[in-house]
Amino acid sequence: MEAVLEQVEQLPALLAVSRSSLVRDWDSVTVDRALEWARYFQHLHDRFRTRPRLREALGQRLRRGQARTLLGFSHLGRCPQLLGLTLLENRSLPPAACRRLIDSLLQSAEAGPEPRSLLLLVRRKAASRLLALLPCGPPRAPEEAEPQVQAEAQLLLSRLREERQEAEPAGEGAGQLCWLSSVLEQLPQLRACRVVAAALLLLRSGRGTEQAGSGVRDGDSLDGNQESATGDEYVAGQLLSWLLGNPERFSAFCLFLPGSLLASLAGHYSQLSRPYLDLLTVWGSHLLYDPLQGQWIKSCLEKAELSWEELRERFSSLCQASVLLREQTQAALKHLKTRDGDFEVCGLSVWTDLLMEVEENLRKE
């Protein structure tokens, strides 16, 4: 058994290598060998999943020495997917090795007992890599993500749902947020923000729910819809916890994304509205009025904060998102105006000027 534990302990290293530039030297034989190890770990999962003591021993050995990525016993059951998708994300993987990887994963999925999820994941990732090479299409609305980001968001939602299903019976829910962080931190910050925003929009619209065929898999449609809604609430909660758990991350999220998209998200997810308004308040407090120019300017040009025009657009977008969000935004601006002296003259308080601009725009609509 000790030999098995030592072998399992090598899984984090295998996944780390698959994310590194070392794969630039991999060929088809190396890919096959790595997938063989992944299938072996999957075999161990299937063999020991009903033996609690061995499950715990394997889980402890997996977590040994891990600084960032928290792996658990449930991850052994998805080693081919974890390894394959990590390699497909790695641009250092040579084209021949990548083709061999996709062929192997598709063959394994079609021959395995549960082919649908892996087949879907591999096809999505292959499609997203192809879409990255295509020329850009016509301009999209600010809240509409590009195809590659949509594909990655769908992939992330599928993985989160699978993680939830595996974690519940195994009691490993505490590691889900850590897993999500480790996945998103592999992406550039702007990319991660766009993927999370697209995933939240897909959940809002209901397009993030995967169906097996055209019917409901188990139970009647009502039970299926209720279970799906509960799962989507859990997944959305994980994404929002990741987003709001770090102030710098949330600030970058709000800086990178357009105001119309943020207003749409804040209108649907109430957890976002107050933190977003608080952040806009901080940014607005850093504006100073320049009497020579007759406009509000940034107090520190080096800081990545919003200009007067950008701030005005953000507040206007919030007021246009929904009645509830409009009332919340106007109430916040009125409170800030009162706290700042309740001036009615332009140029004395940024909140007076913003409130006047927002209300003027609402009257024009």
Side-chain angles (χ1 to χ4, degrees), residues 181-239:
S181 297
S182 68
V183 170
L184 292 174
E185 286 170 6
Q186 295 175 34
L187 300 174
Q189 192 175 48
L190 174 57
R191 191 72 171 183
C193 290
R194 288 177 174 172
V195 169
V196 170
L200 289 170
L201 285 175
L202 288 171
L203 288 172
R204 181 198 67 177
S205 64
R207 289 181 291 152
T209 302
E210 294 300 333
Q211 302 261 343
S214 58
V216 178
R217 275 188 295 183
D218 297 310
D220 57 35
S221 59
L222 180 60
D223 291 341
N225 290 335
Q226 290 175 342
E227 182 179 354
S228 175
T230 302
D232 284 354
E233 289 178 4
Y234 170 86
V235 171
Q238 291 289 297
L239 292 170

Side-chain angles (χ1 to χ4, degrees), residues 109-291:
E110 290 169 351
E114 297 181 359
R116 184 176 299 277
S117 64
L118 179 55
L119 192 63
L120 181 62
L121 295 181
V122 175
R123 284 176 174 169
R124 270 208 189 115
K125 183 46 60 179
S128 70
R129 289 173 67 91
L130 176 62
L131 287 169
L133 304 176
L134 298 178
C136 295
R140 297 181 178 85
E143 63 273 12
E144 185 178 351
E146 52 272 271
Q148 185 176 359
V149 173
Q150 289 271 30
E152 291 178 351
Q154 284 278 14
L155 176 63
L156 180 63
L157 292 177
S158 297
R159 289 279 300 279
L160 281 170
R161 290 191 181 96
E162 290 181 355
E163 289 287 331
R164 173 178 179 265
Q165 292 172 358
E166 287 283 347
E168 283 186 340
E172 297 176 358
Q176 301 311 297
L177 193 57
C178 183
W179 170 85
L180 178 62
S181 297
S182 68
V183 170
L184 292 174
E185 286 170 6
Q186 295 175 34
L187 300 174
Q189 192 175 48
L190 174 57
R191 191 72 171 183
C193 290
R194 288 177 174 172
V195 169
V196 170
L200 289 170
L201 285 175
L202 288 171
L203 288 172
R204 181 198 67 177
S205 64
R207 289 181 291 152
T209 302
E210 294 300 333
Q211 302 261 343
S214 58
V216 178
R217 275 188 295 183
D218 297 310
D220 57 35
S221 59
L222 180 60
D223 291 341
N225 290 335
Q226 290 175 342
E227 182 179 354
S228 175
T230 302
D232 284 354
E233 289 178 4
Y234 170 86
V235 171
Q238 291 289 297
L239 292 170
L240 293 171
S241 295
W242 174 83
L243 186 59
L244 297 171
N246 184 302
E248 293 182 359
R249 179 188 300 146
F250 182 64
S251 178
F253 181 84
C254 295
L255 274 173
F256 287 151
L257 301 180
S260 58
L261 172 56
L262 292 167
S264 178
L265 291 173
H268 187 76
Y269 299 101
S270 58
Q271 303 96 313
L272 289 178
S273 59
R274 176 47 58 186
Y276 182 39
L277 278 171
D278 290 343
L279 188 59
L280 292 178
T281 300
V282 172
W283 288 338
S285 65
H286 291 165
L287 292 177
L288 297 176
Y289 190 76
D290 186 341

Side-chain angles (χ1 to χ4, degrees), residues 7-15 18 31 33-46 62 71-87 101 105 108 118 121-122 159 162-163 166:
Q7 291 170 341
V8 167
E9 194 173 354
Q10 301 305 312
L11 175 58
L14 175 62
L15 293 177
S18 69
V31 168
R33 188 181 303 119
L35 288 175
E36 285 178 6
W37 273 107
R39 286 188 283 269
Y40 169 70
F41 291 135
Q42 187 179 45
H43 168 73
L44 292 179
H45 173 273
D46 296 340
L62 271 174
L71 296 175
F73 177 82
S74 62
H75 293 88
L76 292 175
R78 295 188 302 283
C79 270
Q81 294 98 313
L82 291 174
L83 177 64
L85 292 170
T86 301
L87 287 171
L101 174 66
L105 291 175
S108 299
L118 179 55
L121 295 181
V122 175
R159 289 279 300 279
E162 290 181 355
E163 289 287 331
E166 287 283 347

